[in-house]
Amino acid sequence: MADGQETATGGTAGNGAEVLDAALLGAELGERATLVQFSTAFCQPCRATRRVLDDVAALVPGVRHVEIDAEARLGLVRAVGVERTPTVLILDSRGRVALRATGAPRKTEVLAGLAQAL
């Protein structure tokens, strides 16, 4: 797109929940759920979040971790309302946003959020 600008729009499910798909994220969704992390290069808590989400994705079958560079994907950041990093979205198998959180989560918190999405 011109001037390095990206536009992105997610859809909505019948219940009003935001829906993100593989084309919008630039990565395949997990079979059961997807952990989407918005990060920036100099964000210290983003590194810890990456480790936690990678661990959870490895632990739970059918769950995938997708990390988005917030600085490179400003259109997507604006479309989903990310205001700070790290921001984590837990998507269900159809790409619906089941949970949104900011800050570095603990593994137990991510597992509890996943349980709601599955």
Side-chain angles (χ1 to χ4, degrees):
M1 186 158 217
D3 300 328
Q5 294 294 317
E6 171 188 23
T7 59
T9 56
T12 57
N15 62 4
E18 189 172 13
V19 179
L20 304 175
D21 61 16
L24 187 59
L25 293 176
E28 290 300 315
L29 298 178
E31 184 180 311
R32 296 177 64 206
T34 306
L35 306 171
V36 180
Q37 174 185 352
F38 289 89
S39 299
T40 54
F42 297 105
C43 168
Q44 190 66 21
C46 293
R47 294 178 186 132
T49 299
R50 179 183 310 115
R51 286 189 298 274
V52 167
L53 298 182
D54 280 344
D55 287 350
V56 170
L59 181 67
V60 182
V63 173
R64 182 176 187 140
H65 173 214
V66 174
E67 188 169 3
I68 306 289
D69 179 348
E71 294 169 313
R73 304 284 309 274
L74 289 176
L76 179 58
V77 164
R78 290 181 184 116
V80 298
V82 171
E83 295 180 2
R84 63 185 183 180
T85 59
T87 292
V88 176
L89 307 178
I90 298 179
L91 310 181
D92 68 11
S93 62
R94 292 180 273 185
R96 290 181 300 191
V97 178
L99 188 69
R100 172 188 292 259
T102 58
R106 292 188 306 251
K107 191 174 189 176
T108 55
E109 294 170 330
V110 176
L111 289 168
L114 258 179
Q116 292 176 359
L118 299 175

